[in-house]
């Protein structure tokens, strides 16, 4: 199955941090924004929505009518939306393929950082050599590997402390890549230096994370996320967030958190620096996402009601545990 990373790229950093009740960079890519909204408030529903509803939802984020309709056209061409007509009105719904991708991505996003079994000391490695004329497949493979928690140890050798064998094999097959090898291995113990050569370096297992991942930069991203998510949580709990602001803020917090699986391999505790901030950041993401759900879904229902009152009641939000609740719960 195609991974969510093929549809959603990590958000670019902003020069000046903004309050999360403003659209910020989330509105810069209307196709991604549209899929996020459908995944959050029309999840696992098959009823088509009037295209006017989509345009109005995107307008909440400052997206123009023309940009919204261009996003609809692009997603339809790419097979992610299905359109139909009834009289003079156009209706859209997610394709079954897009729905499957969003479901798979949601499970990955909400389980990320939850912790798991202790590390078994094994590394997963993918070695590949893809010629320049097949650059698109090479780029897609790199994006897929990052989504699966890999990072380049060397240019053609990617490493992960997890065992995502099924995902790797599936992506290699999808892309038609036969010049790649996936295997599991342990790091060799450090070979002591000869007398007089100085102290031996740190063991390879502890050295690999710092070589493959920018842990310092990642820590900074987590701390920035934590700072702003804390403010958002406090404002929401104090009743200071309107339904309009809640829709924007919840979408932004989702997009910011969704970037982390592509940057953070979810390293086991044994390989992390001390006081690693991922757990605190995840807790804030879960809290904000769930707190904002009822308010944001209420705003979505208000917008749908303008164009299709009979469908408005079907809009709902799902929690971080992927359980669906109505806007009024």
């Amino acid at each position: 199955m195609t991974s969510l990373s093929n549809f959603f790229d990590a958000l670019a950093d902003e020069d000046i941090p903004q309050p999360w009740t403003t659209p910020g960079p989330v509105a810069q890519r209307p196709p991604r924004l549209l899929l996020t909204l459908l995944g959050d408030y029309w999840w696992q529903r098959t009823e088509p929505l009037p295209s006017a509803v989509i345009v109005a939802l995107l307008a909440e984020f400052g997206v123009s009518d023309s940009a919204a309709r261009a996003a609809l056209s692009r997603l339809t061409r790419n097979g992610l939306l299905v359109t139909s007509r009834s009289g003079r009105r156009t209706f859209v719904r997610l394709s079954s393929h897009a729905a499957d991708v969003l479901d798979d991505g949601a499970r990955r996003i909400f389980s990320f950082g939850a912790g798991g079994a202790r590390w078994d000391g094994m590394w997963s490695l993918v070695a590949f050599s893809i010629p320049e004329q097949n650059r698109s497949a090479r780029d897609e493979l790199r994006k897929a590997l990052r989504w699966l928690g890999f990072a380049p140890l060397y240019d053609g050798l990617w490493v992960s402390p997890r065992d995502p064998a099924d995902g790797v094999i599936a992506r290699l097959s999808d892309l038609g890549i036969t010049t790649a090898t996936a295997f599991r291995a342990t790091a060799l113990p450090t070979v002591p230096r000869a007398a007089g050569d100085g102290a031996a370096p740190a063991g390879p297992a502890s050295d690999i994370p710092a070589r493959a991942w920018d842990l310092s930069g990642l820590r900074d991203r987590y701390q920035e996320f934590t700072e702003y998510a804390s403010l958002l949580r406090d404002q929401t709990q104090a009743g200071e967030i309107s339904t309009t602001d809640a829709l924007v803020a919840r979408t932004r917090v989702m997009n910011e958190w969704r970037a982390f699986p592509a940057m953070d391999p979810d390293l086991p505790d044994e390989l992390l620096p001390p006081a690693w901030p991922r757990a605190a950041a995840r807790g804030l993401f879960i809290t904000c996402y769930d707190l904002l759900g009822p308010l944001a879904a209420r705003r979505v229902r208000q917008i749908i009601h303008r164009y299709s009152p009979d469908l408005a009641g079907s809009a709902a939000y799902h929690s971080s545990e992927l359980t669906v609740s109505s806007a009024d719960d």
Side-chain angles (χ1 to χ4, degrees), residues 99-258:
D100 288 344
V101 169
L102 289 175
D103 287 353
D104 179 65
R107 287 189 291 271
R108 167 78 167 125
I109 289 165
F110 292 113
S111 64
F112 173 73
R118 289 181 61 84
W119 186 46
D120 62 3
M122 297 286 289
W123 294 92
S124 296
L125 297 104
V126 177
F128 58 89
S129 177
I130 302 174
E132 181 65 21
Q133 57 265 32
N134 200 13
R135 181 191 300 178
S136 61
R138 184 179 62 197
D139 292 344
E140 289 299 319
L141 177 59
R142 287 171 174 167
K143 286 195 290 185
L145 288 175
R146 287 199 182 278
W147 179 252
L148 291 169
F150 284 82
L153 193 56
Y154 305 105
D155 185 48
L157 181 65
W158 289 57
V159 62
S160 169
R162 306 297 183 185
D163 184 16
D166 291 344
V168 171
I169 293 171
R171 289 304 292 139
L172 291 173
S173 176
D174 289 345
L175 295 169
I177 295 173
T178 58
T179 55
T181 302
F183 57 99
R184 296 269 284 162
T186 57
L188 290 172
T190 303
V191 178
R193 295 180 178 177
D197 286 348
S206 61
D207 183 49
I208 288 174
R211 291 163 55 195
W213 292 277
D214 178 12
L215 296 183
S216 176
L218 184 56
R219 180 188 289 275
D220 291 342
R221 282 293 295 265
Y222 273 127
Q223 290 175 339
E224 181 179 334
F225 178 92
T226 299
E227 178 182 350
Y228 284 95
S230 296
L231 294 174
L232 179 60
R233 176 202 58 198
D234 294 346
Q235 287 181 308
T236 305
Q237 291 177 333
E240 298 173 359
I241 301 294
S242 68
T243 57
T244 300
D245 286 345
L247 176 60
V248 172
R250 191 173 192 248
T251 303
R252 284 200 65 182
V253 79
M254 162 59 83
N255 274 274
E256 292 285 350
W257 181 255
R258 184 168 53 202

Side-chain angles (χ1 to χ4, degrees), residues 46-51 76 81-93:
T46 58
E47 304 95 322
L49 285 167
S51 61
T76 301
L81 291 180
V82 177
T83 62
S84 59
R85 294 190 67 86
S86 177
R88 300 179 62 182
R89 302 178 76 190
T90 299
F91 292 79
V92 297
R93 63 173 176 84

